[in-house]
Amino acid sequence: MASLFAFGTTIAAAGEPNAGAKVFKSECAECHTVKQGHNKKGPSLFGIVGRPSASLPDYNYSDALRSRHWTWTEDQLRTYISQPAKKADPGTKMKYDGLDDPKQVDDLISYLSTLH
């Protein structure tokens, strides 16, 4: 069950990391890995939470993502993965239709937050 925690003035939904690992496997693992230093078709998502966008030196990011200057916060990840990639980041190379189940989004972000 997801719960809410207050962090300063921000309220973040906490998902279930074990459930998020399953979401990762079904939604992300075809193109991404969670192994540090390894990329697939997409960049490694190891350490993604808190990392600046387009910052892995050994991955060829799209010009669109390099120009965004985002930090992959939980909120930014939620916005990005809950809609089609082409809408979230016009010009992206990523082909993904988005994840529309808020619980799965929270679970996935919770899982990604454990990878450091």
Side-chain angles (χ1 to χ4, degrees), residues 3-14:
S3 58
L4 295 179
F5 297 97
F7 296 103
T9 58
T10 303
I11 295 180

Side-chain angles (χ1 to χ4, degrees), residues 52-85:
S53 62
S55 63
L56 292 180
D58 59 344
Y59 185 77
N60 184 23
Y61 293 94
S62 68
D63 290 339
L65 190 57
R66 277 196 297 271
S67 72
R68 300 289 180 243
H69 305 288
W70 290 333
T71 296
W72 291 117
T73 62
E74 290 183 12
D75 287 341
Q76 184 63 55
L77 284 165
R78 185 172 288 103
T79 298
Y80 193 83
I81 63 178
S82 63
Q83 60 184 318

Side-chain angles (χ1 to χ4, degrees), residues 17-95:
N18 290 337
K22 292 176 184 173
V23 175
F24 177 85
K25 185 176 180 181
S26 68
E27 295 290 321
C28 312
E30 180 180 335
C31 298
H32 296 277
T33 182
V34 294
K35 293 181 183 177
Q36 185 175 15
H38 295 109
N39 298 312
K40 291 172 89 173
K41 193 183 318 182
S44 170
L45 298 183
F46 180 87
I48 187 74
V49 178
R51 184 169 78 203
S53 62
S55 63
L56 292 180
D58 59 344
Y59 185 77
N60 184 23
Y61 293 94
S62 68
D63 290 339
L65 190 57
R66 277 196 297 271
S67 72
R68 300 289 180 243
H69 305 288
W70 290 333
T71 296
W72 291 117
T73 62
E74 290 183 12
D75 287 341
Q76 184 63 55
L77 284 165
R78 185 172 288 103
T79 298
Y80 193 83
I81 63 178
S82 63
Q83 60 184 318
K86 300 287 185 196
K87 182 177 179 186
D89 183 20
T92 187
K93 297 188 292 186
M94 186 167 156
K95 294 176 174 82

